[in-house]
Amino acid sequence: MASNHSQKVEAIADHADADNDSSHVNAKSIVLSNEAKVEQANAHSLINPKKEITFTVGTNDIAEAAHQIADQKAAAAKAAEEQAAAEQAAAEQAAAEQVAAEKAQQEAQQAAQNAAAASAASAASASSSAATTASTETTTNKGTFKLSFYDPSVLGSGLGYGGVAANLSVFPKGTRLKITLSDGTVWYRTVNDTGSFAAGNPNQLDVAMPNSQIPSAGVLTATVEVVG
């Protein structure tokens, strides 16, 4: 179907001078050319319809990016605040532990000082007591005696090493003796046994002592005193 424009052109061509055939032919050609162009344009518009520009409410990219940046900054600030709080808590805990350790060390040092002072006081008291006992101790010198030694455990005796065997007519059982060696060594022994030697030699004492401690000389002499 020809357009209104082509119809007008064709009408103009029909009313042209009949003798002027070339004008009529040119008008016809123009009409046909215009109709072809119109049909081609219509076909192109059907095949490639124009895309409409649409807008979606609330999808502003710039505003959305700004919101994301703000959220990221807020999250980073919160993380930094939490880290600072954790570091402060750790520092406070470390300080408290250090204070506790220093306090424990001070208490241990004080306890050690107290123990040392108590030990020193005890030693001083014992020394003073020994000195007092020595000063008030009364002894009776019985002269010089010969000393021999024996190990009660070897003989199957359970009397131990705090005793001495003596002539019971000279030193009855239970007598406490102070035995002073020539080098100044002092032993205190209690008479708790006698021996066959005592009948023939009343001036000899048989001192109980472990074999490992018996003097290599075997027989010694010492001054013997009765304590008490």
Side-chain angles (χ1 to χ4, degrees), residues 75-93:
K78 183 178 180 181
E81 183 179 356
E82 291 177 351
Q83 183 178 358
E87 292 177 352
Q88 182 178 359
E92 292 176 353
Q93 182 178 0

Side-chain angles (χ1 to χ4, degrees), residues 74-159:
K78 183 178 180 181
E81 183 179 356
E82 291 177 351
Q83 183 178 358
E87 292 177 352
Q88 182 178 359
E92 292 176 353
Q93 182 178 0
E97 291 177 353
Q98 183 177 0
V99 171
E102 291 177 353
K103 183 178 180 181
Q105 184 177 5
Q106 291 176 355
E107 291 177 351
Q109 291 177 350
Q110 186 63 43
Q113 291 175 358
N114 293 340
S119 178
S122 178
S125 177
S127 177
S128 175
S129 177
T132 301
T133 300
S135 63
T136 59
E137 180 182 78
T138 59
T139 62
T140 302
N141 193 331
K142 293 296 183 178
T144 302
F145 281 71
K146 186 182 296 184
L147 302 181
S148 58
F149 302 90
Y150 76 104
D151 190 336
S153 63
V154 174
L155 302 177
S157 173
L159 294 177

Side-chain angles (χ1 to χ4, degrees), residues 149-151 161 187 189 208-218 220:
F149 302 90
Y150 76 104
D151 190 336
Y161 298 105
W187 295 332
R189 293 288 192 276
M209 186 172 292
N211 280 334
S212 60
Q213 298 179 15
I214 293 175
S216 58
L220 302 177

Side-chain angles (χ1 to χ4, degrees), residues 21-217:
D21 291 335
S22 60
S23 298
H24 183 73
V25 172
N26 290 334
K28 285 285 187 179
S29 298
I30 293 171
V31 169
L32 292 175
S33 176
N34 287 338
E35 287 179 351
K37 291 180 179 180
V38 170
E39 289 177 356
Q40 184 178 3
N42 290 335
H44 179 74
S45 63
L46 291 174
I47 295 172
N48 298 306
K50 293 181 179 179
K51 295 183 180 179
E52 296 182 356
I53 299 174
T54 57
F55 297 90
T56 304
V57 178
T59 59
N60 189 319
D61 291 340
I62 296 176
E64 183 68 20
H67 284 305
Q68 291 180 359
I69 293 173
D71 291 342
Q72 292 174 357
K73 288 183 177 180
K78 183 178 180 181
E81 183 179 356
E82 291 177 351
Q83 183 178 358
E87 292 177 352
Q88 182 178 359
E92 292 176 353
Q93 182 178 0
E97 291 177 353
Q98 183 177 0
V99 171
E102 291 177 353
K103 183 178 180 181
Q105 184 177 5
Q106 291 176 355
E107 291 177 351
Q109 291 177 350
Q110 186 63 43
Q113 291 175 358
N114 293 340
S119 178
S122 178
S125 177
S127 177
S128 175
S129 177
T132 301
T133 300
S135 63
T136 59
E137 180 182 78
T138 59
T139 62
T140 302
N141 193 331
K142 293 296 183 178
T144 302
F145 281 71
K146 186 182 296 184
L147 302 181
S148 58
F149 302 90
Y150 76 104
D151 190 336
S153 63
V154 174
L155 302 177
S157 173
L159 294 177
Y161 298 105
V164 60
N167 187 312
L168 299 183
S169 62
V170 178
F171 300 116
K173 281 187 178 182
T175 303
R176 189 162 181 256
L177 303 178
K178 178 181 179 181
I179 303 170
T180 304
L181 303 181
S182 59
D183 62 359
T185 302
V186 176
W187 295 332
Y188 285 91
R189 293 288 192 276
T190 301
V191 177
N192 61 0
D193 198 2
T194 188
S196 59
F197 71 89
N201 188 2
N203 293 325
Q204 182 173 343
L205 300 176
D206 207 7
V207 181
M209 186 172 292
N211 280 334
S212 60
Q213 298 179 15
I214 293 175
S216 58

